[in-house]
Amino acid sequence: MVTIPGMMISSSDGPRPIPVIAMGTASESGLLGNDDVVKSSTIIEAIKLGYRHFDTAAIYRTEKPLGEAIREALRLGLIKSRSELFITTKLWCTSADRHLVLPAINHSLQNLGLEYVDLYLIHWPIKSIQDEIKFPIPKECVATLDIKAVWAAMEECQNIGLTKSIGVSNFYPKIIQQILSFAKIQPAVNQVEMNPLWQQKKLVQFCKENNILVTAYSPLGGFGNYVWGHNRVMECDILQEIAKSKGKTVAQISLKWLYEQGVSIAVKSFNTERMKQNLDIFSWSLTKEELEKIDKIPQRRRVYLIGTMSTEPNNIMAEIDAELD
């Protein structure tokens, strides 16, 4: 079993470690409304391999199977206590209102069967005015997020012990700066799209300067997900060349590069062999020359609100998409 190193983030308990690799649980099927898309047996296998950080969200519909797996892992003795795991979940846009945040995290905790999560994130910097989660979001249902009010509710979640840490996802420097101007508890994490083909250098530097850990999602380009994924990372000539010379996979090269940028990673695979390979990045290094080659890869963002969350243009989403570029 691999022991995954940790990075320190702020929390209600003071600085505490977050495992640098999380197993992501998002899937097309879940986003399109199907339940139980991730089997608890898959999570159990990940725990056996050494995964201790699991990333879920209300929108993924994977909180329940994750909770079932945690209970089963405890029953089997794979972990001695819930505290051995780091669980991240997220506030969806339909609950991004001051009075809806506490009910939302309580619903997630009920799904998970937990008393607290380790990290609770605002999933996107928008509000969706819908009675239930539906994709795509009609453009008239997208509204501006009252970040000051919502952040106050996030702080309350941490203050009353429902989460150890709070943070954001898909947030850009301008809106993070707004949070920092009034926050009593600053964001611990910003989870964003990041991989060798979308390196996010300015955003990563901004977050480091403000003691915010960046977590990279779609570290392999979200390969296999037609909604937002692409195969450009896995088919990148430079990454393939480096992988061949080192006897590693392209995925391992991409994950190693991210690790060496000082960020944590949410990587998703439900295949046991690939789950194992994704943890094999700690006993070797990329050379200076290899890092320089990766640094020069042409950059292109993939995940946009318009086209992913909604098929129709909307001024609020267009502004966020522009800021994230």
Side-chain angles (χ1 to χ4, degrees):
M1 185 179 74
V2 176
T3 299
I4 300 172
M7 294 177 175
M8 303 305 290
I9 61 170
S10 58
S11 79
S12 54
D13 297 334
R16 67 191 299 257
I18 174 174
V20 299
I21 294 183
M23 179 180 173
T25 61
S27 74
E28 279 173 24
S29 183
L31 292 171
L32 294 174
N34 299 317
D35 292 325
D36 297 331
V37 292
V38 177
K39 302 299 182 185
S40 59
S41 58
T42 305
I43 306 295
I44 291 292
E45 190 60 37
I47 291 173
K48 289 178 180 178
L49 292 172
Y51 287 87
R52 291 296 181 266
H53 181 183
F54 294 90
D55 181 273
T56 184
I59 189 68
Y60 300 165
R61 303 176 193 270
T62 55
E63 291 172 332
K64 286 184 178 180
L66 176 55
E68 291 169 4
I70 294 170
R71 291 188 290 277
E72 181 66 6
L74 285 166
R75 188 187 70 80
L76 294 172
L78 298 176
I79 53 173
K80 294 179 181 178
S81 72
R82 179 264 180 267
S83 63
E84 293 182 30
L85 300 180
F86 192 105
I87 307 300
T88 297
T89 193
K90 307 178 190 77
L91 175 80
W92 185 241
C93 307
T94 49
S95 298
D97 246 328
R98 175 72 178 87
H99 68 289
L100 296 177
V101 175
L102 278 174
I105 192 172
N106 278 314
H107 185 64
S108 288
L109 290 171
Q110 182 180 10
N111 284 340
L112 289 160
L114 300 177
E115 294 182 356
Y116 70 92
V117 290
D118 298 274
L119 178 62
Y120 196 48
L121 306 177
I122 303 174
H123 209 146
W124 280 91
I126 61 169
K127 180 172 78 171
S128 174
I129 306 170
Q130 294 176 293
D131 292 332
E132 57 185 75
I133 298 171
K134 289 183 179 179
F135 274 114
I137 302 173
K139 66 177 182 178
E140 63 272 12
C141 292
V142 176
T144 301
L145 180 70
D146 183 347
I147 187 57
K148 188 172 184 178
V150 171
W151 191 253
M154 295 288 287
E155 290 178 331
E156 185 178 357
C157 291
Q158 180 168 324
N159 286 332
I160 64 177
L162 300 180
T163 182
K164 298 285 187 181
S165 301
I166 52 177
V168 295
S169 179
N170 301 298
F171 275 50
Y172 47 90
K174 183 178 176 182
I175 192 169
I176 295 173
Q177 199 67 63
Q178 289 179 35
I179 297 173
L180 296 175
S181 72
F182 53 69
K184 296 177 181 177
I185 302 172
Q186 79 167 43
V189 168
N190 184 20
Q191 186 176 124
V192 297
E193 177 191 3
M194 184 179 173
N195 54 62
L197 275 70
W198 187 240
Q199 297 182 11
Q200 297 273 39
K201 292 178 182 179
K202 290 182 179 179
L203 178 61
V204 171
Q205 183 59 36
F206 170 84
C207 288
K208 285 182 178 179
E209 289 171 355
N210 289 281
N211 198 33
I212 300 168
L213 177 68
V214 168
T215 296
Y217 73 75
S218 291
L220 310 179
F223 182 69
N225 294 299
Y226 81 89
V227 176
W228 74 87
H230 61 86
N231 59 2
R232 294 183 305 108
V233 173
M234 303 303 287
E235 295 181 355
C236 174
D237 291 341
I238 291 173
L239 297 178
Q240 289 183 347
E241 174 190 317
I242 295 171
K244 184 177 180 180
S245 70
K246 299 189 85 68
K248 301 294 181 182
T249 66
V250 171
Q252 288 171 323
I253 299 301
S254 298
L255 297 175
K256 183 66 177 182
W257 176 83
L258 285 162
Y259 178 59
E260 295 195 4
Q261 306 312 300
V263 305
S264 63
I265 309 159
V267 63
K268 188 203 76 177
S269 175
F270 303 147
N271 175 280
T272 300
E273 185 57 34
R274 287 195 293 270
M275 285 195 292
K276 185 177 180 180
Q277 289 175 355
N278 289 342
L279 295 182
D280 182 20
I281 65 168
F282 301 114
S283 61
W284 52 276
S285 299
L286 294 169
T287 67
K288 180 181 177 181
E289 292 74 18
E290 289 165 344
L291 289 169
E292 288 175 349
K293 287 181 180 179
I294 294 173
D295 192 59
K296 295 175 183 177
I297 294 175
Q299 297 294 289
R300 180 186 164 196
R301 179 177 156 215
R302 179 68 181 186
V303 181
Y304 287 86
L305 276 166
I306 298 174
T308 301
M309 303 261 284
S310 177
T311 56
E312 303 172 284
N314 171 283
N315 289 340
I316 296 170
M317 289 189 289
E319 181 180 345
I320 293 168
D321 280 340
E323 291 283 355
L324 286 170
D325 268 333

